[in-house]
Amino acid sequence: MKFRTVLAALAAFGLLGFAQAGSPLVLDKASTPSDIALAVFGDASYAPAIMRATNSKSLVDGTFARISRLDEVLPSGAKVWIPEETWAKAFLAVWDPNRVEDLFGGGKLVVGSWWTAGGEAEGLEALFGLYRGSYPDVVIVNATVAGGAGFAFKAVLKPRLIAGDPPDTFQLHAGLEVEGYSPEEYLRPLDDLYSIFGWDKVFPPDLLALMQYKGHYWGVPVNIHRANVLWYSKEIFAKYNLTPPTNWAEFFQVCDFLKGKGIVPITLANAGGWEAPHLFETILVSTLTPEEYRGLWTGKTPWTHPGVTKALEILKKILDYVNTDYSAHTWDTVLEYIAAGRGAMNIMGDWAMGWFMAKGVDVGWAPVPGTKGVFDALSDTFAFPKRAPNPINVIGWLEVCGSKAGQIAFNMRKGSIPARTDITPAERAQFNPYLQSCMEDWARDAIVPSVMHGAAAPESWVVDFKDAINLFLVTRDVASAQAALVAAAQAALGK
């Protein structure tokens, strides 16, 4: 048989790329899947991957053979689908031989996330589009739960994991957030897929280290986000000849001026209960050195540090300049203040850029005052539950998420940057000016982990941190809030 010759020719003409996920092959003599696997891959154990791939194709294209058994003899002239070797290896790594049903294709891919707002929803749909192009036999179920930072989603997900009824894959922040899901019990480690798809060679070392928990990878990153961004209305700043503040003294000068003009100086949301704590996190980054900030989460920096006190005092003062209805707004709805020209500034992660892009709003950006040269980082990933109902369909999803094509398509819409390090200058040029500047900052700035987005601390500590700041919004008692933060750290660190 001339299988290898045909495969080589297809590769030479570029027909074995990501989008095709393999190539068709017409048999020149009667053969079993094992015969085909031995001829193509030099290994008969690839037969189940060929059977699955061919049956998937047959569901959408009747010219492909329908294989009913691994030992079935297919006639000469039958058309089969030869999957790419990387996918075939991943299939064999994931497939349970006791699940014969996984050899017949089709089914669903249930994707859990909290991406419902402008920009993030468009980015997710871009990933869906790439997936459908390679796996048209699979029905994607977009199982989103609205609520920024995923707090509402996590409350829904955890009971499903425990009950053995998880989605096929779900959004997970890189870092210690995974601890809250008892990954060794409920999630599949992805070390083998990292090796097969080469992700351990294209993601930066710092991110790879963040992705590991107890020596294993538990998610595939799709992006890098920056949390410490000050967004401002270009129109308002130009009208009054204002420049973006670089420190808090300048910030409050701008706020005083704008308040005198009847404009909301700094817009704030907190309907989700995480937005104000997010703001406080970025203030901490400004009042501490990168090393001191990182030390808050390891015990090296005490929460009695004067920088923590100063951060609380800054937040207290900011509250005098925000919209009074902040408790009714989510992170995205409050941006309407800027879009309508009623608000001048907002401090939020760069997923806000995705919202502004989706709404066609031209905004300016700058680091949060006092944080120039520091990148408050987080990353969205997708995990693989052990009891995923459609495990084979998850392989292709993770492949799309980790691929260059997937990361470019997603991040151009989401308002984030690719996690991969092999993005070329020409590919970077496709991104808007903010995202290009973000790529430059990611490469040169000091990197610190976001606490509100799962990178710096386990979830129990994040909740205590969040609760302390939400109470502070009511009491504005700096000493009590700092004492609560000290207690939260002691509980988390066991000190």
Side-chain angles (χ1 to χ4, degrees), residues 2-14 16:
K2 300 178 180 179
F3 296 147
R4 293 187 190 180
T5 301
V6 172
L7 206 60
L10 288 167
F13 284 100
L16 290 182

Side-chain angles (χ1 to χ4, degrees), residues 252 268 276-277 279-280 283 310-320 469 472-473:
F252 289 119
L268 178 67
L279 168 61
F280 180 65
I283 300 171
K310 184 177 180 181
L312 286 166
E313 290 170 345
I314 290 171
L315 176 59
K316 180 179 179 178
K317 189 171 182 179
I318 286 175
L319 295 176
D320 292 332
I469 300 307
F472 178 73
L473 299 181

Side-chain angles (χ1 to χ4, degrees), residues 5 25 82 84 100 109 149 199 260-261 277 311 350 373 419 431 457 473 495:
T5 301
L25 184 66
I82 306 300
E84 290 181 341
V100 178
L109 175 72
W199 296 324
K261 297 296 182 181
D350 52 15
F431 290 79
L473 299 181
K495 297 181 179 180

Side-chain angles (χ1 to χ4, degrees), residues 455-470:
E459 185 181 6
S460 58
W461 194 353
V462 175
V463 171
D464 288 344
F465 174 89
K466 178 168 67 77
D467 289 348
I469 300 307
N470 283 323

Side-chain angles (χ1 to χ4, degrees), residues 427-439:
E427 290 163 342
R428 287 184 180 219
Q430 300 176 46
F431 290 79
N432 71 21
Y434 166 74
L435 293 174
Q436 291 185 46
S437 74
C438 190
M439 292 181 197

